[in-house]
């Protein structure tokens, strides 16, 4: 993978939130790769997949592009978009982080019975890759730039039908425009997940600090917090972050010193991995509870967490553990009340979502505007009807005057066009102009909304 050890990628205040222990999986066979996925054993992944597999759910990965031809994720990766040039983002050959995260979310493995390679938490989910970076490949450095802003990439993912947005990138800012994009996602029932980071510092002001964003920390094999996770009062829960094996792009990865090492897999540490695993879990929950809001899905997770030995449950949530460690099977099956729409968040300070899903139906955030528009339309219709009636009355009066005048002029004369009580036929009755078809009203004969590409 094209990452440095511990700090993956520094990008103008942003960083990939996964660190890499390079080379530990490069020589492993595919079946050994499956055996090394300790988090799946801890989750009892076979039991999990008897309940849900993420079928019918789309997870947007805002990251590098994804190598959609990797055998463990082939068929599960939609075209998506590279922000730098608008081309598909499912043909990544140089950067690996996005492919790694996609494999943790929706890897289905390969070989006999798909028994080899990486098995993701939601193997039947679809990945919508959104490559947010301006440059492909090259050395890692602080000069790397984004090609699209957070609001652009989030709105694109929502408009393309994403159910979950997975962001394994941390940053130190979240402006009002980004907050509006979060509100837009929530208004369309899209879960937004972001990792807390790997700096071991207090995360206060990034996207994860915005109400409505599910911020995830890292844990180790015993369920306690990973030592390098960034901590935060907004942390919701932790998920596995240590010694996590992932897929690479184009059959290898590049070390931070520019050396290319062949291998389809590599092992890494970081809350990038926690984010992907959490996003896959939300895909499972979305499949089983499709009518739940993001807040209600998060509610199921935080009320089903595993509390590791030595963690004081009475003091949770705290900045290092949130409400505890992720437990997918319990989140799927436990008897947990649905709860309020906002879940654990106070969304009152969140800006209203601006705009509506491209080609889609109105959202709660735009209902007021839609109602106002409908009221205006209704007023206009009444106005036009009134004008039409007035015009009709005038025409009738004029016609009556004309008839009366003609009758006076032809009174006592012979029959014919001037015979009392008769009027010339309308033009269309004489083979002239055809009758004009009635025009549909403002709500009649509308075209169905044009959504984005169908979900596969």
């Amino acid at each position: 993978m094209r990452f440095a050890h511990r700090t993956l990628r520094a990008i103008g205040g942003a960083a990939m939130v996964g660190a890499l222990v390079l080379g530990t999986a490069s020589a492993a066979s595919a079946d050994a790769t499956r055996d090394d996925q300790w988090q799946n054993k801890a989750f009892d992944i076979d039991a999990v997949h008897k309940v849900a597999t993420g079928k019918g759910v789309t997870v947007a990965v805002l990251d590098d592009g994804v190598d959609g031809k990797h055998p463990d994720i082939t068929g599960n990766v939609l075209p998506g978009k590279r922000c730098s040039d608008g081309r598909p983002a499912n043909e990544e050959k140089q950067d690996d982080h996005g492919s790694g995260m996609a494999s943790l979310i929706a890897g289905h493995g390969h070989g006999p019975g798909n028994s080899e390679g990486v098995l993701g938490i939601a193997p039947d989910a679809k990945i919508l890759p959104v490559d947010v970076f301006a440059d492909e490949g090259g050395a890692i450095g602080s000069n790397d730039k984004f090609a699209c802003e957070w609001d652009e990439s989030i709105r694109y993912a929502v408009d393309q039908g994403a159910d979950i947005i997975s962001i394994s990138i941390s940053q130190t800012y979240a402006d009002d425009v980004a907050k509006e994009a979060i509100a837009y996602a929530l208004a369309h029932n899209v879960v937004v997940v972001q990792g807390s980071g790997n700096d071991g510092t207090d995360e206060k002001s990034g996207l994860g600090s915005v109400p409505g964003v599910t911020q995830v920390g890292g844990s180790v094999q015993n369920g306690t917090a990973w030592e390098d996770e960034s901590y935060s009062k907004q942390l919701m829960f932790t998920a596995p972050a240590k010694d996590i094996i992932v897929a690479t792009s184009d059959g290898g990865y590049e070390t931070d010193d520019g050396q290319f090492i062949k291998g389809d897999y590599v092992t890494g540490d970081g809350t990038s991995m926690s984010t992907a695993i959490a996003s896959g879990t939300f895909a499972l929950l979305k499949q089983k509870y499709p009518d739940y809001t993001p807040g209600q899905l998060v509610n199921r997770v935080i009320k089903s967490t595993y509390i590791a030995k030595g963690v004081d449950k009475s003091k949770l949530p705290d900045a290092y553990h949130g409400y505890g460690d992720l437990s997918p099977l319990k989140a799927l099956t436990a008897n947990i009340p649905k709860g309020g729409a906002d879940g654990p968040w106070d969304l009152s300070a969140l800006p209203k979502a601006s705009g509506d899903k491209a080609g889609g139906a109105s959202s709660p955030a735009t209902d007021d505007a839609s109602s106002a528009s409908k009221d205006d339309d209704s007023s206009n219709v009444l106005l036009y009807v009134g004008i039409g009636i007035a015009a009709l009355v005038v025409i009738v009066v004029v016609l009556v005057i004309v008839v009366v005048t003609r009758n006076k002029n032809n009174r006592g004369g012979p029959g014919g066009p001037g015979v009392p009580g008769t009027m010339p036929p309308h033009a269309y009755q004489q083979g002239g102009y055809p009758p004009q078809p009635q025009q549909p009203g403002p709500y009649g004969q509308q075209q169905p909304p044009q959504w984005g590409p169908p979900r596969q």
Side-chain angles (χ1 to χ4, degrees), residues 11-73:
I11 305 172
M16 291 292 190
V17 290
L20 213 52
V21 182
L22 294 175
T24 57
S26 60
S29 64
D31 52 346
T33 295
R34 181 68 60 86
D35 290 341
D36 286 342
Q37 290 192 272
W38 67 263
Q39 75 276 12
N40 284 353
K41 297 175 183 177
F43 292 155
D44 192 358
I45 200 68
D46 290 339
V48 168
H49 289 164
K50 289 178 181 178
V51 181
T53 59
K55 187 175 181 61
V57 179
T58 298
V59 182
V61 175
L62 276 53
D63 206 296
D64 289 321
V66 173
D67 180 5
K69 293 184 179 179
H70 191 287
D72 290 351
I73 54 176

Side-chain angles (χ1 to χ4, degrees), residues 36-350:
D36 286 342
Q37 290 192 272
W38 67 263
Q39 75 276 12
N40 284 353
K41 297 175 183 177
F43 292 155
D44 192 358
I45 200 68
D46 290 339
V48 168
H49 289 164
K50 289 178 181 178
V51 181
T53 59
K55 187 175 181 61
V57 179
T58 298
V59 182
V61 175
L62 276 53
D63 206 296
D64 289 321
V66 173
D67 180 5
K69 293 184 179 179
H70 191 287
D72 290 351
I73 54 176
T74 183
N76 279 7
V77 185
L78 303 174
K81 182 181 77 170
R82 291 184 359 176
C83 289
S84 60
D85 56 17
R87 295 174 59 191
N90 64 342
E91 301 173 352
E92 184 60 58
K93 299 300 180 186
Q94 300 184 69
D95 296 312
D96 297 273
H97 197 268
S99 296
M101 300 310 102
S103 69
L104 287 177
I105 296 168
H108 49 59
H110 66 277
N114 282 338
S115 61
E116 302 173 357
V118 171
L119 179 63
I121 194 79
D124 286 334
K126 296 297 184 182
I127 297 295
L128 176 72
V130 185
D131 188 342
V132 299
F133 294 105
D135 300 316
E136 300 298 315
I140 301 168
S142 59
N143 292 327
D144 291 340
K145 304 294 183 182
F146 286 112
C148 55
E149 299 296 334
W150 289 115
D151 64 302
E152 296 176 81
S153 54
I154 290 170
R155 286 175 179 273
Y156 169 80
V158 174
D159 290 346
Q160 293 301 307
D163 301 291
I164 319 293
I165 296 177
S166 184
I167 307 175
S168 289
I169 305 171
S170 65
Q171 85 301 326
T172 58
Y173 67 94
D175 58 18
D176 288 342
V177 176
K179 292 176 183 178
E180 287 182 5
I182 297 301
Y184 182 76
L186 294 177
H188 293 91
N189 273 346
V190 178
V191 181
V192 182
V193 188
Q194 187 190 32
S196 65
N198 306 326
D199 298 327
T201 58
D202 190 0
E203 176 58 57
K204 295 180 178 180
S205 57
L207 273 179
S209 68
V210 178
V213 176
T214 304
Q215 189 180 74
V216 183
S219 62
V220 297
Q221 291 194 24
N222 65 2
T224 59
W226 176 54
E227 60 182 3
D228 288 338
E229 72 163 357
S230 294
Y231 52 93
S232 169
K233 291 181 179 179
Q234 286 77 35
L235 197 70
M236 283 290 152
F237 55 89
T238 59
K242 181 72 172 175
D243 296 331
I244 307 298
I245 193 165
V246 299
T248 65
S249 290
D250 202 27
Y253 58 89
E254 187 173 344
T255 65
D256 56 330
D257 61 1
Q259 182 182 4
F260 185 82
I261 299 177
K262 291 184 178 181
D264 290 327
Y265 307 96
V266 70
T267 299
D269 301 338
T271 59
S272 279
M273 290 69 174
S274 311
T275 303
I277 292 169
S279 297
T281 300
F282 280 115
L284 302 178
L285 291 168
K286 191 73 174 180
Q287 178 189 355
K288 185 171 181 184
Y289 303 100
D291 62 326
Y292 275 36
T293 66
Q296 289 165 338
L297 295 178
V298 172
N299 180 62
R300 290 199 65 86
V301 172
I302 64 177
K303 290 188 176 180
S304 61
T305 54
Y306 168 74
I307 309 302
K309 185 177 180 180
V311 176
D312 188 347
K313 184 176 182 179
S314 67
K315 294 182 179 180
L316 299 182
D318 67 20
Y320 295 90
H321 307 89
Y323 288 87
D325 200 43
L326 179 67
S327 181
L329 184 59
K330 190 175 179 181
L332 284 165
T333 60
N335 183 15
I336 299 171
K338 187 174 183 179
D342 293 347
W345 297 302
D346 178 4
L347 301 179
S348 60
L350 202 62

